[in-house]
Amino acid sequence: MPRFLSISYHDEQNRPAEAPSAELQQRMGELYEEITKAGVVLDMAELAPTSEATKVTWSGDKAHYTDGPFTESREVVGGYTIIQAKDKAEALEWARRFLEVQGRYEPTTSVEVREIAE
């Protein structure tokens, strides 16, 4: 069964300052419980902000390190989920359902779904 990586993108400069409402947190919890019971989630996590990140590039036969935040990028990877689904359509359906909930909190969130090459 193929695995898929869902990468969620956020507008880091315009993230909501307040936590999600209790109702929205409940809906998020219900969705995570459902996807876990369905047995498709292999791993998922939210990432720390880019202000805590370091970018490593290679040039002139040596590594160069740049600490975040990276002002040239407004939209950043905010989290990921690895799922095992029967096909891309199922993986896209889980991404749609995630956005249906997350989009109420952070309307600019988008998700890229890519099959992991085996």
Side-chain angles (χ1 to χ4, degrees), residues 33-78:
E33 185 176 326
E34 185 177 344
I35 194 170
T36 300
K37 283 183 179 176
V40 296
V41 173
L42 301 176
D43 190 20
M44 65 177 11
E46 182 176 347
L47 301 178
T50 60
S51 60
E52 300 174 22
T54 300
K55 184 181 293 185
V56 183
T57 56
W58 187 261
S59 176
D61 292 333
K62 67 178 186 176
H64 300 270
Y65 302 89
T66 305
D67 290 331
F70 310 112
T71 56
E72 70 276 4
S73 57
R74 184 178 173 123
E75 189 177 69
V76 300
V77 176

Side-chain angles (χ1 to χ4, degrees), residues 75-93:
E75 189 177 69
V76 300
V77 176
Y80 71 91
T81 305
I82 298 174
I83 69 169
Q84 192 162 33
K86 65 181 177 188
D87 54 28
K88 187 174 181 180
E90 182 183 10
L92 291 173
E93 175 60 15

